[in-house]
């Protein structure tokens, strides 16, 4: 009998890659999506065509902030595993919408844990909570490990810290198999276009084909530990396959500045980014996180997980995808006479 999983945030970058992985493993996959006036399933539309005969994919309308409806859904589908990836995930936006960010990322995670606690009385269930390296904030130790003190610098990070400790609390207090994956920055061609790496690759490729003249960014000196989202969802799955629930840092162990990433992307396109990039104060955070660098030694030892894609290869993957997108965009605008 195949296992089943519920993925909140299934239409996001991580959710789409995780759904692919679980379907490949023969899971029945359920996804939670928010109702909107337009479809937001672009990242997973291909899965309806590619699902294996012995697997299935089903979407359910819902919202993490509606605890009762979420509990009803969990009790109805009785998943073996729950991956809570749903969130207001943009750090800069969280300064503008702190209350909503707390409700979706903090209270939303608590609602998932509570639904799982109730189901766990009926049958065993395992919960993965998407924690974030942003919780380390103004870092007190480098590199950051599972025991590094948390020092959040944004409403987003504070919300994730709340969810992190609630996950630990439910594990200790209710004997729930609940784990945190403390994922450092992970990117892909499916990354939202308002996130800095994808913003850079989209703009650079559009500049290359003549569709754009400038790229406006904030702090170019911030350093991040960037990995490939497809590698990281494999770690998520491995975390829930352990005999004992634990928390894990998932990272590459390398840090690069946004300037470095600009170098990699524009170099791949034979362009000099300094001719096209300008600083816009609107993109600066009120409180900046200067350096994030993860130590995933525990994941390597206990999960047998290591990243398969370094940042240069990641930049190449994203550039090639977005260059194709820009060329199709150019062809479309030329065809329409614009």
């Amino acid at each position: 009998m195949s296992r089943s999983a519920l993925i909140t945030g299934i239409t996001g970058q991580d959710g789409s890659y995780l759904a692919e992985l679980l379907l490949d493993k023969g899971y029945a996959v359920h996804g939670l999506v928010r109702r909107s006036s337009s479809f937001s399933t672009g990242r997973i539309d291909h899965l309806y065509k590619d699902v294996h005969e012995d697997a299935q994919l089903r979407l359910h309308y819902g919202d993490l902030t509606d605890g009762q409806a979420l509990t009803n859904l969990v009790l109805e589908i009785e998943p073996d595993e729950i991956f809570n990836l749903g969130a207001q995930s943009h750090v800069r936006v969280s300064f503008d919408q702190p209350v909503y960010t707390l409700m979706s990322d903090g209270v939303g995670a608590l609602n998932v844990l509570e639904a799982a606690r109730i189901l766990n009385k009926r049958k065993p269930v395992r919960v993965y909570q998407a924690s974030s390296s942003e919780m380390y904030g103004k870092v007190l130790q480098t590199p950051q490990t599972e025991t590094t003190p948390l020092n959040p610098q944004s409403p987003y990070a504070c919300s994730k810290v709340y969810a992190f400790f609630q996950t630990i609390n439910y594990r200790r207090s209710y004997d729930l198999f609940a784990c945190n994956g403390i994922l450092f920055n992970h990117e892909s061609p499916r990354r939202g276009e308002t996130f800095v790496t994808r913003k850079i690759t989209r703009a650079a490729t559009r500049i290359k084909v003549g569709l754009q003249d400038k790229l406006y960014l904030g702090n170019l000196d911030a350093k991040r530990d960037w990995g490939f989202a497809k590698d990281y969802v494999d770690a998520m799955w491995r975390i829930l396959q352990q005999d004992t629930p634990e928390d894990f840092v998932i990272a590459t162990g390398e840090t690069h500045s946004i300037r470095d990433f600009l170098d990699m992307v524009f170099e791949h396109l034979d362009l000099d980014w300094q001719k096209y990039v300008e600083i816009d104060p609107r993109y600066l955070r009120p409180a900046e996180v200067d350096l994030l660098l993860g130590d995933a030694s525990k994941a390597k030892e206990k999960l047998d997980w290591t990243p398969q894609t370094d940042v240069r290869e990641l930049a190449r993957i994203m550039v090639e995808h977005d260059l194709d997108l820009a060329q199709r965009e150019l062809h479309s605008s030329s065809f329409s006479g614009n």
Side-chain angles (χ1 to χ4, degrees), residues 23-189:
L23 289 168
D24 282 342
K25 292 181 179 295
Y27 278 67
V29 176
H30 298 264
L32 187 72
V33 295
R34 284 177 296 181
R35 177 74 175 89
S36 66
S37 59
S38 60
F39 290 110
S40 58
T41 58
R43 294 185 179 98
I44 59 172
D45 284 344
H46 66 287
L47 294 179
Y48 287 102
K49 304 172 186 176
D50 299 340
V51 290
H52 301 276
E53 292 181 0
D54 59 346
Q56 49 185 306
L57 173 64
R58 184 179 174 193
L59 301 183
H60 307 265
Y61 285 123
D63 195 295
L64 287 172
T65 61
D66 188 343
Q68 185 59 60
L70 184 61
T71 297
N72 292 343
L73 177 63
V74 167
L75 293 178
E76 175 189 341
I77 65 179
E78 295 189 336
D80 299 299
E81 298 168 6
I82 300 174
F83 295 86
N84 183 33
L85 312 185
Q88 190 299 100
S89 59
H90 199 286
V91 177
R92 179 63 190 83
V93 170
S94 77
F95 287 100
D96 301 323
Q97 298 184 315
V99 175
Y100 173 71
T101 301
L102 173 62
M103 292 302 296
S104 62
D105 300 12
V107 177
L110 179 60
N111 287 336
V112 170
L113 291 164
E114 182 63 7
R117 181 185 71 83
I118 296 170
L119 174 61
N120 205 47
K121 296 178 180 179
R122 182 189 301 178
K123 58 158 286 187
V125 61
R126 298 185 171 199
V127 179
Y128 171 88
Q129 169 59 29
S131 292
S132 169
S133 59
E134 287 287 333
M135 299 188 305
Y136 296 118
K138 196 169 183 63
V139 297
L140 302 175
Q141 171 189 321
T142 299
Q144 293 86 54
T145 71
E146 292 81 3
T147 60
T148 299
L150 307 180
N151 190 22
Q153 289 285 98
S154 67
Y156 168 79
C158 290
S159 301
K160 285 293 187 178
V161 168
Y162 175 88
F164 174 81
F165 282 113
Q166 286 289 11
T167 300
I168 293 173
N169 179 55
Y170 268 66
R171 183 167 72 218
R172 293 172 176 169
S173 302
Y174 301 115
D175 197 28
L176 180 67
F177 195 109
C179 307
N180 288 290
I182 309 171
L183 271 59
F184 280 64
N185 294 67
H186 46 289
E187 319 298 317
S188 76

